[in-house]
Amino acid sequence: MGYQKYDLAPLTHSIDQYLYSHLSSTWAFLAEMTLIGVVFLIFYAVIGLYLVLAERKVCAFMQNRIGPNRVGWYGVLQTIADLFKLLLKELITIRKADKLLFNIAPFIVIIASFLGIAAIPFAMGLHAIDFNIGIFYIMAVSSVGVVGILIAGWSSNNKYSLIGAMRSGAQIVSYELSVGLSLLVIVIYSGTLQLSTLVESQADGWWIIKGHIPAILAFFVFVTAGTAETNRGPFDLAEAESELTAGFHTEYSGIKFAFFFLAEYMNMFLVASVAATVFLGGWMPLHIPGLEGFNNAMDFIPPIVWYFGKTAFVIFLMMWIKWTFPRLRIDQLLNLEWKYLLPINLVNIVVVALIVLMGWYIK
Amino acid sequence: MKSIFDYIAGIFKGVWSLLKGMTITGKYFIRLDKIVTQKYPENRKKLKMYDRFKGELIMPHDVNNFHKCNGCGICEMNCPNGSIEVISDKIITSEGKSKRIIGTHIYHLSMCTFCGLCVKSCPSNALAFSQEFEHAVFDRNKLTKVLNNPGSSLVKDLAE
């Protein structure tokens, strides 16, 4: 296939060999770990900051406003200026708060989202770690974040924080089911949990096309449940500004608040990239079997562009949803999950099992 | 059976109404020419405020320096935070009667909440709001203004 000319595995292998030939194996291992850590740290900061800016711009355009436009060209440096402001701000210590838990909570939240991006395949061969249970790993790791949110709410010694954290707990425990079951649809289709083979299996068409109706249904259920999982509007009950001031991070200031804020946006990125990888083919270019010329033309676009394009599309979809719909009430939120999404998902799973058994999908 | 039908119909209705909402915001997103906010200091030259905008209180004078205020003091009585002081004066008309006219109409911009009760309650429509909104000054005393121009007089007095 043509897309293999952009394979980045030789590059990463040469770096690996260079390190191992110049250092003892322990130091080479540590150097590799540090290198990957630093790369992900920079990636995390840049993506997090620019998603905040993107959200502000998208929100502004949907409300017929201009949005940030003073700092830098069309406001491109706005969020970087905001970061410096937050870094210079005082970290207020709360009297009668549980000091240890209060300080640990932002790190749990940010580590949970940080662990998740390790398993994402960004391009061919650009993959920090390729688990054979990649999807399962991302789901397991990203749901650790709720522990951080609960700890933050509990240790703040503030009733609004506690209410926000409890709502967040109820919400994530419920919506985790829908996320898992909607991903299971594609797992049944492709027969693998490994993200690299899952992307390879979409070389002859993305699963949302090959899997027709159940896959499309699962995609929309996943985007809905994923939005709820990341505590974003219209499911932002955990930090409902009008009811709970800021929910679980009411008492946090300065960079600790920024950690929660960045983690929220990185979780959105994580959900969007999982949706892009599982349903829309990840870094795989758009291939239509039989159209050789078209496929070759598509292969000229590097996989990393495909990956970021698809992720940006899903992120835009989530922002569009956030800035269109009003916030749900807590009972409506649980109704939506337990009365609508979960039954739809269960029926969908049975239908997919039947379809795969009978071979009624595009192979 | 009906409840199952209602359940499924409800899903489709719900999705349809959500899509409708998304179409509207999607249209707004695409139509960048319809942006309602303006960049303020840049557009100062051509900035035009709206008729109903309450900038600051003024007493309109016509070209011959006549206003409509007869100094009745209703605006002063109606002002909730005492930002208006009416100091009236007396003149003797040609018929020999003594008549009250406005001496100085003092307006404290620093205390005004722009509620508009003075403009609404004025029986002779002598007051109005201007479109001016750049009120910042370095001296607090500049916020106390006299609304009637020096040498101005009531429209009716001319007719007599």
Side-chain angles (χ1 to χ4, degrees):
Chain A
M1 289 296 235
Y3 60 84
Q4 272 152 354
K5 66 175 167 285
Y6 290 112
D7 193 357
L8 290 166
L11 176 73
T12 50
H13 279 301
S14 66
I15 294 171
D16 178 65
Q17 269 161 13
Y18 176 82
L19 284 172
Y20 271 93
S21 60
H22 285 75
L23 297 165
S24 70
S25 63
T26 322
W27 282 110
F29 178 72
L30 281 175
E32 255 175 36
M33 285 288 174
T34 321
L35 202 65
I36 291 166
V38 168
V39 166
F40 269 131
L41 210 62
I42 293 165
F43 176 76
Y44 194 97
V46 169
I47 290 285
L49 286 175
Y50 276 93
L51 279 180
V52 176
L53 184 72
E55 169 122 278
R56 288 182 65 180
K57 275 286 184 191
V58 167
C59 153
F61 287 144
M62 283 189 179
Q63 296 169 351
N64 281 353
R65 295 185 287 113
I66 304 172
N69 58 65
R70 295 288 170 192
V71 190
W73 180 75
Y74 281 94
V76 285
L77 300 175
Q78 177 69 51
T79 43
I80 292 168
D82 287 347
L83 176 76
F84 279 110
K85 181 202 72 177
L86 284 169
L87 277 169
L88 296 171
K89 275 193 155 183
E90 186 190 357
L91 292 170
I92 299 164
T93 45
I94 312 298
R95 235 181 338 135
K96 293 192 178 169
D98 190 325
K99 292 250 159 48
L100 176 70
L101 293 184
F102 186 77
N103 289 323
I104 276 179
F107 292 97
I108 295 180
V109 173
I110 211 160
I111 285 168
S113 62
F114 203 87
L115 285 172
I117 52 173
I120 300 283
F122 292 100
M124 195 173 190
L126 203 66
H127 204 158
I129 185 159
D130 190 14
F131 286 115
N132 56 0
I133 49 160
I135 295 174
F136 183 65
Y137 166 80
I138 289 175
M139 274 186 61
V141 148
S142 62
S143 56
V144 171
V146 71
V147 178
I149 289 172
L150 280 171
I151 288 175
W154 181 259
S155 64
S156 296
N157 195 21
N158 175 328
K159 55 185 173 241
Y160 296 122
S161 302
L162 188 57
I163 294 170
M166 287 299 163
R167 281 182 182 185
S168 168
Q171 185 179 327
I172 291 182
V173 168
S174 313
Y175 279 85
E176 197 89 316
L177 281 169
S178 283
V179 170
L181 286 174
S182 52
L183 289 178
L184 214 54
V185 168
I186 303 303
V187 171
I188 295 172
Y189 269 133
S190 64
T192 176
L193 283 165
Q194 194 171 357
L195 284 165
S196 58
T197 44
L198 205 134
V199 173
E200 296 282 355
S201 75
Q202 305 184 67
D204 53 347
W206 307 341
W207 277 118
I208 200 161
I209 300 163
K210 284 201 292 181
H212 53 89
I213 299 162
I216 293 165
L217 211 59
F219 176 71
F220 284 107
V221 170
F222 180 79
V223 171
T224 315
T227 314
E229 267 235 323
T230 51
N231 283 327
R232 281 175 57 78
F235 306 101
D236 55 345
L237 288 145
E239 45 185 306
E241 288 94 350
S242 47
E243 304 160 23
L244 304 174
T245 56
F248 62 89
H249 57 61
T250 305
E251 299 289 354
Y252 285 89
S253 58
I255 198 68
K256 282 191 229 165
F257 164 74
F259 275 8
F260 281 116
F261 206 63
L262 272 185
E264 190 192 319
Y265 282 92
M266 271 327 278
N267 280 333
M268 178 172 78
F269 181 78
L270 198 61
V271 166
S273 51
V274 169
T277 307
V278 172
F279 295 97
L280 304 177
W283 50 259
M284 189 58 75
L286 177 62
H287 290 149
I288 298 168
L291 293 173
E292 268 322 301
F294 178 77
N295 291 351
N296 287 336
M298 288 291 127
D299 284 340
F300 270 106
I301 303 168
I304 196 139
V305 174
W306 279 104
Y307 167 78
F308 277 107
K310 287 168 190 176
T311 311
F313 167 73
V314 181
I315 287 173
F316 175 71
L317 202 62
M318 288 169 80
M319 286 178 179
W320 194 357
I321 289 168
K322 172 163 181 172
W323 294 108
T324 304
F325 305 136
R327 185 188 304 129
L328 274 77
R329 226 168 37 222
I330 186 79
D331 61 318
Q332 292 168 334
L333 179 90
L334 295 177
N335 265 355
L336 176 68
E337 164 63 18
W338 295 101
K339 284 191 181 167
Y340 292 95
L341 293 187
L342 191 62
I344 289 171
N345 249 327
L346 290 171
V347 171
N348 206 11
I349 290 272
V350 174
V351 169
V352 168
L354 188 73
I355 285 173
V356 171
L357 199 65
M358 306 303 279
W360 288 337
Y361 64 101
I362 306 159
K363 274 175 224 160
Chain B
M1 196 62 214
K2 194 182 173 293
S3 63
I4 295 170
F5 180 75
D6 282 351
Y7 174 83
I8 293 164
I11 291 173
F12 280 102
K13 254 187 219 161
V15 170
W16 176 245
S17 76
L18 292 181
L19 285 178
K20 250 183 180 169
M22 285 179 77
T23 331
I24 289 170
T25 43
K27 265 184 204 156
Y28 283 154
F29 183 78
I30 296 162
R31 298 185 68 173
L32 297 179
D33 55 317
K34 289 271 173 186
I35 280 171
V36 290
T37 46
Q38 300 174 13
K39 293 187 171 180
Y40 163 54
E42 288 93 331
N43 71 350
R44 243 174 116 179
K45 290 254 165 57
K46 54 181 179 180
L47 180 66
K48 200 179 167 302
M49 299 308 292
Y50 299 90
D51 290 342
R52 286 163 64 191
F53 179 72
K54 295 171 178 175
E56 69 176 301
L57 193 63
I58 49 162
M59 188 182 286
H61 288 67
D62 63 11
V63 280
N64 299 319
N65 208 11
F66 290 119
H67 59 74
K68 291 189 207 156
C69 180
N70 57 11
C72 66
I74 289 176
C75 50
E76 184 181 1
M77 279 192 282
N78 273 314
C79 184
N81 36 9
S83 31
I84 295 175
E85 276 177 63
V86 176
I87 299 166
S88 55
D89 205 356
K90 276 203 176 128
I91 51 161
I92 309 291
T93 57
S94 52
E95 294 155 27
K97 285 178 186 170
S98 91
K99 189 174 185 269
R100 185 186 59 195
I101 57 156
I102 182 82
T104 40
H105 191 291
I106 300 167
Y107 167 54
H108 298 282
L109 178 59
S110 52
M111 289 197 272
C112 183
T113 58
F114 307 99
C115 66
L117 282 177
C118 46
V119 175
K120 259 185 202 153
S121 64
C122 182
S124 39
N125 285 331
L127 296 174
F129 276 113
S130 76
Q131 317 261 301
E132 187 58 43
F133 62 92
E134 289 167 331
H135 297 312
V137 283
F138 285 104
D139 185 3
R140 184 158 49 167
N141 294 325
K142 283 183 186 161
L143 293 173
T144 303
K145 297 179 179 185
V146 176
L147 294 190
N148 53 335
N149 289 354
S152 65
S153 55
L154 189 61
V155 183
K156 245 191 297 183
D157 292 348
L158 179 73
E160 282 168 12

